[in-house]
Amino acid sequence: MSKQTPFYQSHHDAGAKIVDFHGWQLPIHYGSQIEEHHSVRNAAGLFDVSHMCVVDIVGNDAQPWLQMLLTNDVGKLQPFQALYSCMCNEQGGVIDDLIVYKVSDIRFRLVVNAGTREKDLAWMKQHRSGDIDINVPNNLCMLAVQGPDAPNKTAVALDSMGQNIDVHALTRFSAVEQSDWFVGRTGYTGEDGFELIFPAELAPIFFNALLDAGVKPCGLGARDTLRLEAGMCLYGQDLDEDHSPVQSGIGWAVDVRDANRQFIGRDVLYEQKATGTEVHQVALVLNQRGVMRAGQEVQATGNRVGVVTSGGFSPSLQKSIALARVNKPLKSGCDVIIRDKPCAANVVKLPFTQYQ
Amino acid sequence: MEIPGELRLVATHEWVRINDDGTITVGITEHAQEQLGDLVFVETPEIDMECKAEQPVAVVESVKAASDLYAPVAGNIIDTNADLADSPELINDSPYENGWIFKMQPDDVSDVENLMDPDDYSAMVEAGD
């Protein structure tokens, strides 16, 4: 039996089509996935992300412990700054990708993926050392508000809740904590916006306050096309334990500047950063009609060189776009095998949104 | 959405309308478009193509998946809906009218009468395909 988030009734009332997603009942769309996509690019949309898991790391050793656990270096964070990072195994394979917020030297907040929650917590507990507690807070919910109008509309909605949080004052990748609300200027769409963590009992009221402010509810379908256009990886497709961040296009999330920092996967990742890897991620745009989808084979001059890890139709480009994992340098183009037919695709730089 | 009573339907979720001149018009059902989600491409068949019943003749591709469309009866393709090239969403918005996909001259129009009526089709969908 899959779980419901505190927004379940709100989704239902807003006309959502509900699907099972990693054991959670979540909206795939509320009528039109493409309209929802455009509303985030042009105005503002909201996403229920309560299925994602909040993990609070508290204790005197919180900072050095996370510097050991994560590939990116939390040592460079000021209080209330956020960082994207991977958590890797000893071979450099990605256990999960996550956002970490520093609250203070002794308190950090992680947001990890729903589908990896149990293995993430098991990994953290297995590597627990020193004075730290690993807490998963209950009774919270999480909402993302994304799009160029997100700041104004979020401010209006918060005001109507009696929450005087100054969201305009937040810079990108910074956060604020006020009473029971935790608000970060982060997201997974390539647009400006916020991710808000707050008490679950306020979920339906705040959802309605955002709708009243003119924010459009958006489902998992639009979330996927928005993040793909922005060139952001999805765990389980573009990232997995068999491939490193360097091989998956996010070597920038491995910080090697502090040579004394001993983190899990360090030796493999140091070498890959220094020498590069054969296996790497490419971004593809299809030159013809059709849609590239995860699992399709990528060929160069008739030979298999890799596989599409995420693909779809880009509403902004009106073309199919994809991320692929290949093991040969692809100068300019390749073929993707769609329904048994080779279809020519160009290799481009991310994000896709620059080609609109 | 109510399925217009004059339509005949097949298990692969195409609908068929018999026109006054003995030709037939084919599209996909409301249920099919709802399952697919927003349509993004439609590959319509070649005009004059001769096809057998249940032969794949077209492809509809949505945000979610690509799906074959089958000729509901034997015959010749005589026309396709040119508006779908720029506006595939016509299939989502108006599956039984503006979102029609192709027209055929059936070899034997009585083949159409042997297809499902709306009640049979609805019962099939409710039973979970």
Side-chain angles (χ1 to χ4, degrees):
Chain A
M1 186 64 198
S2 60
K3 289 170 281 193
Q4 297 178 355
T5 77
F7 295 101
Y8 180 79
Q9 189 60 42
S10 306
H11 298 317
H12 192 76
D13 296 344
K17 178 172 173 162
I18 303 284
V19 297
D20 181 282
F21 182 77
H22 293 300
W24 293 87
Q25 292 183 48
L26 286 165
I28 182 76
H29 62 70
Y30 300 79
S32 169
Q33 172 179 331
I34 290 179
E35 279 173 27
E36 291 161 23
H37 179 108
H38 289 309
S39 69
V40 172
R41 288 276 177 255
N42 302 323
L46 68 82
F47 303 84
D48 177 6
V49 286
S50 305
H51 57 298
M52 297 188 79
C53 179
V54 175
V55 185
D56 286 329
I57 306 297
V58 183
N60 287 323
D61 296 320
Q63 176 149 326
W65 185 73
L66 286 168
Q67 287 183 292
M68 175 277 296
L69 190 76
L70 304 179
T71 60
N72 215 338
D73 188 355
V74 298
K76 62 193 169 196
L77 293 178
Q78 297 297 315
F80 293 102
Q81 283 186 331
L83 188 68
Y84 174 79
S85 181
C86 290
M87 181 167 73
C88 285
N89 59 31
E90 281 86 357
Q91 295 74 41
V94 181
I95 293 171
D96 201 6
D97 66 331
L98 53 87
I99 294 283
V100 52
Y101 298 93
K102 176 172 181 168
V103 179
S104 71
D105 285 345
I106 58 165
R107 194 176 150 223
F108 290 79
R109 170 162 279 187
L110 276 52
V111 179
V112 307
N113 282 303
T116 50
R117 171 197 169 110
E118 299 310 323
K119 72 164 184 174
D120 288 1
L121 290 170
W123 182 261
M124 289 180 205
K125 283 170 185 162
Q126 183 191 332
H127 290 86
R128 183 175 176 167
S129 64
D131 174 19
I132 58 144
D133 279 320
I134 301 166
N135 300 325
V136 178
N138 289 321
N139 303 319
L140 293 177
C141 63
M142 202 178 335
L143 206 62
V145 187
Q146 302 279 296
D149 295 343
N152 286 332
K153 292 184 188 302
T154 305
V156 168
L158 283 170
D159 193 52
S160 77
M161 303 282 292
Q163 292 291 333
N164 59 338
I165 298 169
D166 187 2
V167 291
H168 294 286
L170 285 174
T171 54
R172 272 286 172 101
F173 264 71
S174 70
V176 61
E177 189 176 36
Q178 206 165 300
S179 51
D180 294 332
W181 290 66
F182 192 96
V183 182
R185 198 157 192 162
T186 51
Y188 192 48
T189 61
E191 296 296 329
D192 193 5
F194 307 94
E195 290 173 302
L196 304 103
I197 301 168
F198 56 99
E201 69 263 23
L202 299 175
I205 310 170
F206 189 54
F207 190 98
N208 281 337
L210 286 164
L211 295 193
D212 289 345
V215 178
K216 187 158 172 91
C218 301
L220 294 166
R223 185 168 162 81
D224 193 50
T225 51
L226 287 158
R227 70 92 195 168
L228 183 56
E229 283 185 353
M232 293 170 166
C233 291
L234 173 61
Y235 193 84
Q237 290 190 193
D238 312 300
L239 300 173
D240 61 36
E241 290 189 26
D242 297 327
H243 298 91
S244 76
V246 182
Q247 293 172 320
S248 309
I250 50 170
W252 53 268
V254 180
D255 191 328
V256 295
R257 283 177 296 183
D258 178 359
N260 294 319
R261 187 170 71 96
Q262 297 292 332
F263 59 93
I264 302 173
R266 176 187 187 276
D267 293 348
V268 176
L269 295 171
Y270 258 66
E271 188 180 329
Q272 289 187 350
K273 292 257 297 189
T275 62
T277 56
E278 268 189 0
V279 171
H280 64 286
Q281 186 192 63
V282 288
L284 304 177
V285 174
L286 197 67
N287 291 328
Q288 59 191 82
R289 289 155 63 95
V291 180
M292 298 182 284
R293 300 188 191 271
Q296 291 168 349
E297 183 172 322
V298 180
Q299 293 186 349
T301 57
N303 296 312
R304 182 189 172 100
V305 292
V307 65
V308 172
T309 53
S310 282
F313 176 77
S314 158
S316 301
L317 274 60
Q318 293 287 308
K319 287 176 180 175
S320 179
I321 58 174
L323 297 174
R325 183 180 290 130
V326 298
N327 57 17
K328 290 259 166 30
L330 299 179
K331 281 283 178 294
S332 56
C334 60
D335 288 321
V336 175
I337 309 303
I338 302 176
R339 296 164 60 84
D340 300 326
K341 271 187 273 182
C343 299
N346 283 343
V347 177
V348 301
K349 286 198 164 64
L350 292 172
F352 292 106
T353 38
Q354 68 189 298
Y355 306 108
Q356 285 181 68
Chain B
M1 191 189 287
E2 189 90 350
I3 303 173
E6 76 277 16
L7 299 187
R8 290 296 172 266
L9 303 112
V10 285
T12 45
H13 306 288
E14 293 87 1
W15 57 259
V16 184
R17 177 179 284 124
I18 302 178
N19 304 313
D20 292 342
D21 59 1
T23 62
I24 60 171
T25 302
V26 181
I28 64 168
T29 64
E30 165 73 10
H31 172 74
Q33 73 79 19
E34 198 185 302
Q35 292 297 308
L36 285 165
D38 289 339
L39 271 294
V40 295
F41 290 120
V42 183
E43 201 179 301
T44 51
E46 299 286 322
I47 293 190
D48 290 337
M49 176 181 168
E50 275 181 45
C51 43
K52 298 180 191 129
E54 298 177 26
Q55 179 181 334
V57 292
V59 181
V60 288
E61 187 131 24
S62 75
V63 288
K64 194 166 133 192
S67 184
D68 283 312
L69 239 72
Y70 301 91
V73 294
N76 276 5
I77 304 288
I78 56 169
D79 196 9
T80 61
N81 186 349
D83 294 340
L84 296 177
D86 289 331
S87 304
E89 68 277 8
L90 287 172
I91 293 175
N92 297 111
D93 298 341
S94 175
Y96 299 124
E97 297 293 341
N98 299 333
W100 67 276
I101 298 172
F102 59 88
K103 291 184 182 176
M104 291 179 73
Q105 180 67 59
D107 290 349
D108 183 350
V109 78
S110 68
D111 290 344
V112 178
E113 293 302 334
N114 297 328
L115 303 176
M116 276 183 272
D117 67 20
D119 288 346
D120 292 342
Y121 176 77
S122 298
M124 181 198 82
V125 168
E126 268 170 43
D129 289 4

